Amino acid sequence: MKPTNSIYTGLPTTIFETMSRLAIQHGAINLGQGFPDEDGPLDIRQMAAELLIDGPNQYPPMLGLPALREAVAEANRRFYQLDMDPATNILVTSGATEALSDCLNALIEPGDEVILIEPLYDCYLPLAERAGAHVKSVRLVPPGWKLDRAELEAAFSDKTKAILLNNPHNPAGKVFDRAELELIAELVTKHDAYAICDEVYEHILFDDRTHIPLMTLDGMDQRCLRIGSAGKTFSLTGWKVGYISGPAQLLDPVAKAHQFTTFTTPPALQAAVAFGLAKEDTYYRSLAGELQTKRDHLNAGLAAIGFAMIPCAGTYFLTADIAALCRHKQLPIDDVAFCQAMTEQAGVTAVPVSAFYRPGQQSDIPSQFVRFCFSKQIPVLDEAIARLSKWIKG
Ligand code: PMP
Ligand code: GLN
């Protein structure tokens, strides 16, 4: 029989699903896959529930409900002083994942080069390759996760169609500073390229940092597609409501990719997210503030039992270096085996960071880092720390 597609055939199940299944199997506390253990605002959920009964329940407009497109445009203005026309600059998608797929499918011609930054969020590589891209990668190295000018310059060429930038960055917890963003903008302009900006954690920055969309830098408003997700902003990851902001000439082909991928997104959820986006500043402050408390709590707990913690400036993920612990427990330094053993023996699940690198081609993928999700209630984090402490001492 003829072979099925070579990119998807044999591709492993995502690490998030794999680790969540393992956590369920072993009754472990799941600090692996990134999702909060408390649902987002009740009023948003109540509104969606009422609309599911009262309607609308038929196809909404393909670009998204006007109310949500207006709310996304307004949020761009309110948070970043970006001027967006809801009619031509905003597209609603079924989550950021669909948005990423649409953007890549709309921009890429077979053979175009796309730059990805490692560690990379898991869907980037197969989606880019399936769109026909030749992927070039640059690497951020912990603990600083600094973007290296020479490395980035070397990755760009006249064939570069786009760079995919995740800021704040999952799994690194890194927030790109203005100098790094200026470097990206300079190279995008120089090589006449585009930037697909995955900004799903745009409202989850800590220690008084503010999010700077690449799109706000000089000339970038014509070259950036900026992606957000209600899943992260409202702690409703199962809803899969995403949105793209971008210049009309770029968004037009992206909308055509969307039209034949999902076409639309459930209207009740869209209307409720539109309502949510208009929430007062205190909502956004408390989202980041509560997560900062949780970050500090888990960070201190893990550090006290021997994990070497790497600073986290945004997202809800902490990365820990396990090298010293592995030596202490006389285990090989192998993040995959460590996460498996930790789930089975300690009853706590995390994600191996090696899963965020391009597989196969490189022998130097780091194997000493694991990622913990801290968007959980404090007693849950405490129980995880207690279990890990017992496991490490035992
Ligand atoms: N990008 C990043 C960096 C993510 O962490 C996630 C996970 N939520 C997504 C995209 C996908 O978002 P969504 O669930 O809205 O598809
Ligand atoms: N974004 C989530 C994470 O990084 C996972 C989302 C998913 O499972 N697709 O853990």
Side-chain angles (χ1 to χ4, degrees), residues 16 33-34 121 170 201 232 317 371:
F16 310 120
Q33 190 178 31
Y121 183 60
N170 175 13
Y201 300 101
K232 300 289 145 43
F317 303 112
R371 189 197 80 173

Side-chain angles (χ1 to χ4, degrees), residues 36-281:
D37 66 352
E38 287 178 295
D39 289 343
L42 181 62
D43 53 359
I44 299 181
R45 288 183 281 133
Q46 236 150 10
M47 183 169 179
E50 281 160 22
L51 289 171
L52 278 173
I53 300 300
D54 297 341
N57 283 301
Q58 307 307 328
Y59 295 131
M62 187 268 278
L63 297 174
L65 278 191
L68 181 51
R69 280 184 279 149
E70 275 157 28
V72 174
E74 179 48 34
N76 272 302
R77 210 173 351 265
R78 170 178 168 194
F79 294 112
Y80 313 118
Q81 294 77 52
L82 283 167
D83 190 19
M84 296 281 152
D85 178 352
T88 56
N89 298 136
I90 309 292
L91 173 70
V92 176
T93 59
S94 291
T97 311
E98 195 228 330
L100 287 158
S101 171
D102 295 343
C103 290
L104 287 161
N105 282 329
L107 291 184
I108 305 306
E109 287 284 9
D112 283 347
E113 290 178 4
V114 168
I115 298 174
L116 300 182
I117 297 174
E118 279 183 324
L120 47 84
Y121 183 60
D122 69 339
C123 68
Y124 293 176
L125 184 64
L127 287 180
E129 288 185 335
R130 193 66 186 91
H134 175 65
V135 169
K136 297 243 191 137
S137 44
V138 296
R139 211 175 255 201
L140 306 174
V141 180
W145 307 108
K146 199 85 198 122
L147 189 61
D148 182 71
R149 170 177 272 275
E151 214 191 317
L152 190 64
E153 274 174 346
F156 268 91
S157 81
D158 288 344
K159 289 193 194 152
T160 305
K161 181 63 76 70
I163 180 168
L164 208 168
L165 176 68
N166 178 209
N167 184 32
H169 187 282
N170 175 13
K174 172 194 171 69
V175 171
F176 288 79
D177 64 24
R178 187 170 282 281
E180 290 171 312
L181 296 174
E182 279 170 357
L183 169 62
I184 295 169
E186 176 194 320
L187 293 170
V188 163
T189 307
K190 179 176 168 196
H191 293 278
D192 186 20
Y194 302 107
I196 301 170
C197 302
D198 177 347
E199 300 182 4
V200 299
Y201 300 101
E202 64 186 314
H203 294 294
I204 309 179
L205 281 77
F206 307 126
D207 310 310
D208 296 323
R209 286 180 180 83
T210 47
H211 176 57
I212 310 173
L214 182 66
M215 195 180 229
T216 58
L217 272 65
D218 262 4
M220 285 298 101
D221 58 341
Q222 293 308 304
R223 295 186 178 274
C224 287
L225 289 161
R226 198 178 87 73
I227 298 172
S229 171
K232 300 289 145 43
T233 297
F234 300 111
S235 301
L236 296 165
T237 60
W239 279 25
K240 301 294 283 189
V241 178
Y243 20 87
I244 311 174
S245 309
Q249 78 280 5
L250 285 188
L251 206 63
D252 184 67
V254 173
K256 302 297 157 47
H258 161 74
Q259 126 180 311
F260 295 132
T261 304
T262 57
F263 181 51
T264 60
T265 299
L269 304 186
Q270 290 195 49
V273 169
F275 164 74
L277 281 171
K279 277 192 173 291
E280 57 290 352
D281 289 349

Side-chain angles (χ1 to χ4, degrees), residues 13-24 30 33 122:
T13 299
T14 89
I15 192 65
F16 310 120
E17 174 76 16
T18 302
M19 297 315 293
S20 282
R21 282 185 203 167
L22 199 68
I24 291 167
N30 190 357
Q33 190 178 31
D122 69 339

